[in-house]
């Protein structure tokens, strides 16, 4: 359980968290939303014990500042901004595995699912990796940790649609864990969470339960037929992992359930050349069987 009691944090006379009180029970999966400056990242940093603050933060009854080793051993964290680390990517993986008592092989497997070849980048300084590579590596390290609490601050930033879909799959495999997912896109994480908390000016302005009616592993098979070939459309749809038929008019691929609205938003920009669109939900049992086969 995570307990925040009358939490106050001030930066240079600006009160970023304003008497914030919140209880997150074991198994709660939180979508933490709010505009920039609402206090989301500051709240997360207080939970991690990184900031001095007024009020109380307890994780399973322990202060994250006074019992850092015991508390952080329970947590897997993906930051919004990658740290400026100069150590080689391979050394970072080995260091993280030692600290969290994780298996390097598991981290490598998760990275591979995300499309990152660790062997290819292991000698490169983390600082020199691309934004997407950094994010994939940090996610792989977090998901390779058998944590009871997952805290992810804008975890899909800098990721292509195919990698975003894999992140959703990885999180869907851990629905028995406590999660805090900070995101600007509620529709993106809606199928993963059971509670939505919105912050505004450092206070909780919304705390609502979410009905768990849809399987978060949902995939949609999609077919798009164009009126004419279009180079800009071809580039945009290829980023989603779609492939075209020989005529260049028919495109087929799949979309993750949490990404459906964002996909349709992208597609709306090309509505003038779309002649037909079919989105069909794939059988949930088949999706789970496919995921199990990939993991094996």
């Amino acid at each position: 359980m995570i307990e925040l009691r009358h939490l106050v944090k001030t930066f240079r006379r600006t009160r970023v968290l304003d008497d914030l009180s919140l209880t997150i029970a074991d198994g709660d999966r939180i979508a933490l939303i709010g505009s920039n400056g609402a206090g989301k990242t500051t709240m997360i940093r207080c939970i991690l014990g990184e900031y001095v603050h007024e009020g109380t933060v307890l994780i399973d009854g322990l202060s994250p500042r006074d019992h850092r080793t015991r508390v952080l051993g329970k947590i897997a964290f993906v930051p919004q901004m990658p740290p400026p680390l100069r150590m080689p990517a391979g050394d970072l993986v080995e260091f993280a595995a030692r600290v969290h008592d994780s298996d390097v092989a598991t981290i490598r497997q998760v990275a591979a699912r995300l499309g990152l070849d660790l062997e290819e980048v292991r000698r490169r300084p983390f600082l020199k990796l691309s934004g997407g590579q950094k994010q994939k590596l940090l996610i792989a390290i977090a998901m390779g940790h058998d944590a009871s609490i997952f805290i992810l601050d804008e975890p899909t930033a800098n990721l292509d649609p195919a990698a975003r879909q894999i992140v959703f799959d990885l999180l869907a495999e851990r629905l028995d864990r406590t999660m805090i997912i900070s995101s600007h896109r509620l529709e993106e994480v809606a199928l993963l969470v059971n509670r939505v908390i919105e912050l505004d000016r450092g206070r909780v302005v919304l705390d609502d339960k979410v009905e768990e009616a849809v399987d978060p592993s949902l995939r949609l098979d999609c077919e798009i037929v164009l009126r004419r070939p279009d180079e800009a459309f071809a580039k945009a749809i290829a980023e989603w992992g779609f492939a075209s038929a020989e005529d260049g008019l028919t495109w087929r691929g799949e979309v993750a359930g949490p990404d459906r609205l964002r996909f349709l938003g992208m597609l709306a920009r090309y509505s003038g050349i779309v002649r037909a669109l079919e989105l069909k939900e794939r059988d949930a049992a088949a999706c789970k069987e496919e995921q199990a086969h990939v993991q094996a």
Side-chain angles (χ1 to χ4, degrees), residues 77-250:
F77 173 56
V78 177
Q80 181 179 17
M81 298 294 294
L85 301 175
R86 296 186 179 276
M87 71 170 64
D91 291 354
L92 176 59
V93 169
E94 293 176 2
F95 172 76
R98 287 196 303 271
V99 169
H100 294 300
D101 193 24
S102 303
D103 182 8
V104 172
T106 301
I107 297 175
R108 289 181 179 275
Q109 289 170 6
V110 176
R113 287 181 65 181
L114 290 165
L116 178 65
D117 184 348
L118 282 183
E119 187 60 30
E120 181 181 329
V121 301
R122 68 184 183 88
R123 295 184 183 276
R124 294 174 57 187
F126 179 80
L127 190 63
K128 298 295 185 180
L129 300 181
S130 70
Q133 289 173 328
K134 291 176 184 176
Q135 196 73 357
K136 290 175 182 179
L137 182 53
L138 293 174
I139 291 170
I141 289 172
M143 295 298 175
H145 176 28
D146 187 26
S148 58
I149 301 171
F150 286 84
I151 300 178
L152 306 101
D153 197 355
E154 298 289 347
T156 58
N158 299 314
L159 295 185
D160 56 86
R164 294 163 75 94
Q165 178 171 301
I166 299 301
V167 172
F168 300 141
D169 291 344
L170 289 166
L171 291 172
E173 293 162 12
R174 293 161 173 79
L175 295 183
D176 59 331
R177 314 300 171 90
T178 302
M179 296 183 190
I180 301 175
I181 308 174
S182 174
S183 177
H184 283 92
R185 302 185 181 98
L186 178 57
E187 74 278 2
E188 183 176 79
V189 298
L191 300 185
L192 295 168
V193 303
N194 57 17
R195 188 175 170 192
V196 177
I197 293 174
E198 182 178 1
L199 298 187
D200 183 41
R201 299 181 183 182
R203 289 178 173 268
V204 175
V205 295
L206 173 70
D207 186 349
D208 199 11
K209 293 289 185 181
V210 175
E211 292 294 333
E212 300 182 76
V214 182
D215 189 332
S217 64
L218 174 68
R219 303 282 186 86
L220 299 105
D221 290 316
C222 180
E223 180 176 283
I224 304 165
V225 180
L226 303 181
R227 300 182 186 277
R228 56 177 172 78
D230 184 270
E231 185 176 344
F233 175 85
K235 182 177 179 180
I237 201 68
E239 292 181 355
W240 288 80
F242 276 57
S244 75
E246 293 183 3
D247 60 6
L249 296 177
T250 303

Side-chain angles (χ1 to χ4, degrees), residues 4 32-33 127 138 167 270:
L4 311 179
L32 184 63
I33 63 173
L127 190 63
L138 293 174
V167 172
Y270 304 97

Side-chain angles (χ1 to χ4, degrees), residues 17 44-45 51 67-68 98 109 132 178 181-182 263 265 270:
L17 298 180
I44 286 172
R45 296 289 181 176
Y51 289 156
H67 303 90
R68 290 192 63 74
R98 287 196 303 271
Q109 289 170 6
T178 302
I181 308 174
S182 174
F263 174 76
Y270 304 97

